[in-house]
Amino acid sequence: MADSLQVPQGFLAAVSDAVGPDHCLSDPDLKASYELDWTRRFGGPAIVVARPADTFEVAKVLAACSRFRVGVVPQGGNTGLVGGSVPRHGEAVLSLSRLNRVLSCDPEEGLIVAEAGTTLAAAQVAAASVRSELGIDIAARDSATLGGMVATNAGGVHVIRYGPMRARLGGVEVVLADGSVASRLSGLVKDNVGYDLAQIMAGSEGTLGVVTKVALHLVAVPLFRVTALVALRGTEHSSANPAAGVASVSKVAVSLALSLRRHVDGIDALELVYADGMALVREALALPAPSDPGADAWLLVEASGGQDPSDMLARAIEDATGVTEIAVADDAAGRARLWAYRERHTEAIATLGVPHKLDVTLPMKNFAEFAGAVSAEVSAALGGSDTRVILFGHVGDGNLHVNLIGPEPEDYRGDDAVFEMVIRRGGSISAEHGVGVAKLGFVSSARSAGDLTVMRRVKNALDPGGILNPGVLLPPVA
Ligand code: 2HG
Ligand code: ZN
């Protein structure tokens, strides 16, 4: 594939000089895993994969890309789900995987500083060693890297308590398109001197600079933490009308989630899975039934704090409408067993084929109706073809993951139908995965013209040559 790509003369030598020949990959076999995304839906050939060891080498690679006008795709753990971290047509891939050192972890300052290629799991281990946590967690923790999580403003299961990645940031170091370095890693909570470098980078999807170091605020490990998997049944049970069943149990789940959010202190997570997703996870991973095998959905609730939240949680859940059974755990192994039913959805879905991953937010008042209606609208958009629609997500913040299995990777009819439904209901086309290339067609509907103008001007100011992750996030000017 590389043979058909235009490689400017001298470019590969410049990259090899920058990172050393062993980390300048041009052999197709060595490049392959960097060229395809996790879903297997997105990807393309890279002219080279550069694996720098530190900020200095990142700067040299970017300076070479600028000089030779070669597009560059920054890549962390390659766990992105929207095609934003893989090449499309002959860019260079800049892998941050060798920048994986934790540089400091200070519970008194409440700050961890690590290189961008550090995995979330490694940062969590470092934090735990000083009895602290990061306040952010995602199922892909073993591969997802801190730099990628900044670039996508990753969300995850604790957003309802601690916010997304941008809320956890104490600073970043960034290499700009021309190879210059900007750094602010102090972690000071109050530091009001103009624009905020870290916040400009959060959610920029590699289009404004390459994050090389990340500072994150720490939180103390709570004394108590309890996880409950709550089985729910809706009021409608008609196999002739499954949509009404999904809407009905979603209403029950939203109402319980809202009530827990308001009445129980220290809620860390409110996650929702439905019966079809649960059956799939159990079958793919050979897991036993968690509780009420006939439930329509399960709400996973986690709470923590300085006092044991169990009683308050039990009181709030037991009398709620639609609750049939509750499985509870307060030890690490028991909690992990309950979490597996929710966290392992992504890998179980991947066993069915190449999924279309549509990660949307709805206002809470529209969540249940949307969840009930989405399958039928997708099926109509695809002309009634055989598509499975699997829903799950972070119901506590209105974020639903809509997975479509069946349509060809480049068939966008189902995706478009979902995004149109979301926009009509006042939601967002990207709750936490970002735009990448998957949602480019809807950015102009999701943002006002003025908003887009600001984004484009920021992009042009920081990347005048347009080399940073070209084709991602910002739609081409009409
Ligand atoms: C999660 O919440 C991730 O587990 C992945 O955001 C979602 O696989 C998905 O659709
Ligand atoms: Zn998610």
Side-chain angles (χ1 to χ4, degrees):
M1 232 171 190
D3 291 347
S4 62
L5 298 172
Q6 299 289 325
V7 185
Q9 204 179 355
F11 177 66
L12 292 183
V15 173
S16 177
D17 265 5
V19 298
D22 288 351
H23 296 289
C24 172
L25 313 181
S26 51
D27 178 293
D29 288 343
L30 297 179
K31 287 188 303 172
S33 66
Y34 300 86
E35 295 177 319
L36 187 65
D37 84 327
W38 191 90
T39 66
R40 296 157 286 153
R41 185 180 179 197
F42 300 107
I47 55 176
V48 70
V49 175
R51 303 178 69 243
D54 55 24
T55 303
F56 183 60
E57 291 189 3
V58 172
K60 286 203 288 187
V61 173
L62 284 182
C65 291
S66 268
R67 186 152 42 94
F68 288 91
R69 297 180 179 280
V70 172
V72 56
V73 178
Q75 189 179 95
N78 200 8
T79 57
L81 300 172
V82 289
S85 58
V86 281
R88 273 87 44 198
H89 19 244
E91 297 86 354
V93 168
L94 176 55
S95 165
L96 280 303
S97 57
R98 293 175 67 217
L99 280 76
N100 60 3
R101 287 154 286 223
V102 174
L103 303 171
S104 63
C105 189
D106 181 343
E108 276 159 19
E109 293 297 337
L111 198 70
I112 180 170
V113 180
E115 290 182 320
T118 305
T119 63
L120 174 62
Q124 286 172 332
V125 168
S129 73
V130 295
R131 293 206 47 75
S132 300
E133 296 182 345
L134 303 178
I136 188 147
D137 198 13
I138 59 176
R141 61 184 73 80
D142 290 326
S143 313
T145 60
L146 299 185
M149 290 177 69
V150 174
T152 53
N153 183 30
V157 294
H158 295 320
V159 170
I160 47 166
R161 181 145 185 195
Y162 296 111
M165 195 66 169
R166 68 164 73 250
R168 310 306 312 144
L169 277 174
V172 291
E173 176 190 83
V174 180
V175 181
L176 301 176
D178 60 1
S180 55
V181 179
S183 178
R184 198 192 306 162
L185 289 161
S186 71
L188 296 173
V189 174
K190 302 190 91 170
D191 184 12
N192 236 354
V193 191
Y195 306 139
D196 189 320
L197 180 64
Q199 295 301 326
I200 292 171
M201 292 300 148
S204 65
E205 302 191 22
T207 63
L208 301 180
V210 176
V211 176
T212 44
K213 293 192 180 102
V214 178
L216 295 173
H217 299 297
L218 298 171
V219 294
V221 174
L223 288 178
F224 299 92
R225 177 167 276 146
V226 179
T227 305
L229 193 61
V230 183
L232 303 173
R233 292 193 186 215
T235 48
E236 307 261 344
H237 288 280
S238 150
S239 52
N241 188 359
V246 171
S248 153
V249 75
S250 302
K251 211 162 148 198
V252 166
V254 167
S255 146
L256 179 55
L258 288 174
S259 149
L260 292 168
R261 244 171 52 174
R262 283 165 62 104
H263 302 302
V264 178
D265 288 339
I267 294 283
D268 287 334
L270 288 167
E271 301 284 314
L272 181 62
V273 303
Y274 293 88
D276 56 349
M278 177 62 95
L280 176 65
V281 170
R282 285 190 49 209
E283 192 189 315
L285 307 162
L287 298 178
S291 54
D292 181 3
D296 298 316
W298 284 260
L299 183 69
L300 186 146
V301 184
E302 188 158 280
S304 67
Q307 312 279 330
D308 187 348
S310 306
D311 289 347
M312 210 196 299
L313 212 48
R315 274 197 303 277
I317 294 171
E318 268 161 17
D319 299 333
T321 315
V323 171
T324 57
E325 266 184 50
I326 312 174
V328 182
D330 60 3
D331 62 305
R335 290 182 31 249
R337 263 196 302 279
L338 297 182
W339 268 104
Y341 295 107
R342 157 61 183 86
E343 287 204 321
R344 302 190 72 179
H345 264 61
T346 302
E347 66 184 283
I349 289 167
T351 64
L352 300 177
V354 175
H356 290 227
K357 292 197 166 285
L358 313 171
D359 153 50
V360 301
T361 314
L362 279 307
M364 294 302 260
K365 63 178 184 301
N366 296 336
F367 187 99
E369 181 273 330
F370 172 88
V374 67
S375 283
E377 291 225 16
V378 165
S379 160
L382 288 160
S385 66
D386 201 14
T387 299
R388 273 188 82 170
V389 180
I390 296 176
L391 308 174
F392 65 101
H394 316 280
V395 64
D397 47 41
N399 178 186
L400 194 61
H401 294 311
V402 180
N403 278 256
L404 315 183
I405 302 105
E408 291 299 316
E410 56 290 339
D411 182 348
Y412 277 83
R413 289 174 298 163
D415 308 36
D416 293 354
V418 174
F419 294 143
E420 274 155 19
M421 285 180 77
V422 167
I423 288 171
R424 279 202 303 276
R425 286 163 178 79
S428 171
I429 58 160
S430 174
E432 55 176 10
H433 297 167
V435 171
V437 294
K439 299 174 182 179
L440 270 185
F442 278 81
V443 173
S444 308
S445 319
R447 288 287 178 261
S448 69
D451 217 340
L452 270 173
T453 301
V454 173
M455 289 201 223
R456 288 193 204 285
R457 288 190 187 166
V458 173
K459 166 74 176 171
N460 290 339
L462 290 184
D463 181 22
I467 62 153
L468 291 172
N469 225 359
V472 159
L473 179 58
L474 289 166
V477 183

